[in-house]
Amino acid sequence: MSSNPTNKETVIFSEMLIGGSHWSGVIRRGTTLRLTDLEGGANVSALFYNVEEKLERYNMADTLKGQHTACLSSGDVCYSDMGRVLCSITADTCGWHDTICGVSDAAMVEAKYGRLAYQQGLNEYYKNGYDSLINELGKYGMGKRDIVSNINFFSKVIVDDNGSMHFVEANSQADDYVDLRFEMDCLVVLSTCQHPLDPAPAYSPKPVDMTARYTGTAPANDACRLSCPENERAFINTERFYGLTVRAK
C-alpha cells in the first residue's frame, strides 16, 4: 500500500500492481483513479463496464470517431456504447495511450518468451493479457463474450503509410501517470501484462501504482466536456442517466 499520495483529495485506496498481475473493482462516479508507471515501460490493459448494466461497456470505435483521434490523452473521454462518458482523462504526463492493438494471449507469449507454467515458476509464471482479463471478468459472471477492444495505457503504437503497426519504445518513463475521472459507476478490469507488440526480448512486465481519490464530477467548464461538441452531448447523456437536470446548448 502506498503511503505518499500526491494529491490533497481524500484517498480512497492505494495499491501497487506488480508486473503481469490483474485487478478488478468498482470505481464510483466522481472518483479519480491515478495509474503511475513506477519503472518506465509499463502497460496497463483496461476495460470499463457500467456496473449497473454490464452490457454497457467501453466502445473503442465511438471513442475514437467521436473525438477524431486514434489514441487517447489528456482532454479525451472514454465513451460507452450508449453514448455516455464512462471516464475522462483529466491529466496525463505520458501523452499517448494505445487503443487499437488489444492484448497478448497464451500462444503469443509462449512463442515470444517460451513457457514457464505455474508448476515451475509459481507466482513468477508467464501470464498473458487475455487470460488475465478473463480471470477477473469471471468474478462477475462474465466471460469471453464480454471482452471488447481495450485501452493499453502507457503504450504507444504508430501506423505507417503501408498500414504496418510499430511499437514505440520508451514512450512512458518512470513516474509518468494518467488520471481517469469516472463519470459513471464502473466495473474496471486491469491487466499489467506486456503489450502484444512490445519488442523486449525477455518476459519483464512492469509494476504500476494505482491510487483512487474522490475529486467530484465534471464542472460546466470542464476541459474534457468542452473539448468537442460530441463530448458535451455525451456528458449530457451521462447526467440524464443519473437523473440530473441538464440543459443542452
Side-chain angles (χ1 to χ4, degrees):
M1 302 290 284
S2 173
S3 59
N4 295 302
T6 58
N7 293 274
K8 296 180 180 180
E9 295 91 349
T10 301
V11 172
I12 301 169
F13 71 85
S14 187
E15 182 176 347
M16 187 186 80
L17 302 180
I18 63 172
S21 64
H22 42 87
W23 179 93
S24 62
V26 176
I27 307 293
R28 298 293 179 184
R29 174 173 159 82
T31 300
T32 291
L33 178 67
R34 171 168 290 189
L35 301 173
T36 303
D37 183 350
L38 295 175
E39 297 179 3
N43 178 74
V44 181
S45 301
L47 293 172
F48 307 125
Y49 304 82
N50 176 356
V51 75
E52 294 184 40
E53 177 46 81
K54 297 180 184 68
L55 289 176
E56 180 179 4
R57 68 277 306 269
Y58 168 71
N59 186 288
M60 179 265 278
D62 288 351
T63 296
L64 300 187
K65 71 182 181 182
Q67 299 172 102
H68 310 284
T69 186
C71 63
L72 296 177
S73 187
S74 181
D76 293 324
V77 306
C78 297
Y79 286 15
S80 80
D81 47 18
M82 296 296 289
R84 293 188 273 256
V85 181
L86 295 164
C87 62
S88 305
I89 302 178
T90 56
D92 175 25
T93 64
C94 186
W96 184 302
H97 304 277
D98 168 51
T99 59
I100 60 177
C101 288
V103 293
S104 61
D105 59 24
M108 182 185 300
V109 170
E110 183 171 352
K112 195 170 187 178
Y113 303 116
R115 187 172 186 271
L116 183 63
Y118 179 79
Q119 289 79 1
Q120 290 79 45
L122 299 180
N123 288 336
E124 301 301 318
Y125 77 98
Y126 292 174
K127 307 174 189 70
N128 66 84
Y130 182 82
D131 288 339
S132 293
L133 296 177
I134 288 290
N135 285 339
E136 290 301 323
L137 288 171
K139 298 175 181 179
Y140 307 91
M142 303 166 73
K144 294 180 180 179
R145 68 177 184 176
D146 298 296
I147 295 280
V148 295
S149 297
N150 62 284
I151 302 169
N152 288 309
F153 288 108
F154 302 116
S155 293
K156 179 176 182 178
V157 173
I158 59 174
V159 181
D160 64 25
D161 292 340
N162 296 318
S164 298
M165 294 185 290
H166 303 276
F167 184 86
V168 178
E169 298 184 69
N171 178 60
S172 179
Q173 304 296 313
D175 297 325
D176 271 342
Y177 65 85
V178 57
D179 282 354
L180 307 175
R181 183 187 61 211
F182 282 83
E183 316 298 350
M184 299 182 70
D185 293 342
C186 286
L187 170 62
V188 178
V189 183
L190 305 176
S191 165
T192 56
C193 291
Q194 285 167 266
H195 190 279
L197 297 185
D198 187 343
Y203 177 83
S204 56
K206 306 300 183 183
V208 172
D209 179 83
M210 45 177 204
T211 298
R213 62 197 188 279
Y214 182 77
T215 55
T217 54
N221 62 346
D222 180 70
C224 296
R225 180 194 293 269
L226 300 179
S227 64
C228 63
E230 289 86 351
N231 283 8
E232 172 71 11
R233 289 192 289 270
F235 271 99
I236 290 171
N237 290 340
T238 305
E239 290 155 352
R240 285 174 176 164
F241 179 78
Y242 287 97
L244 303 175
T245 301
V246 295
R247 180 167 60 88
K249 293 182 178 180

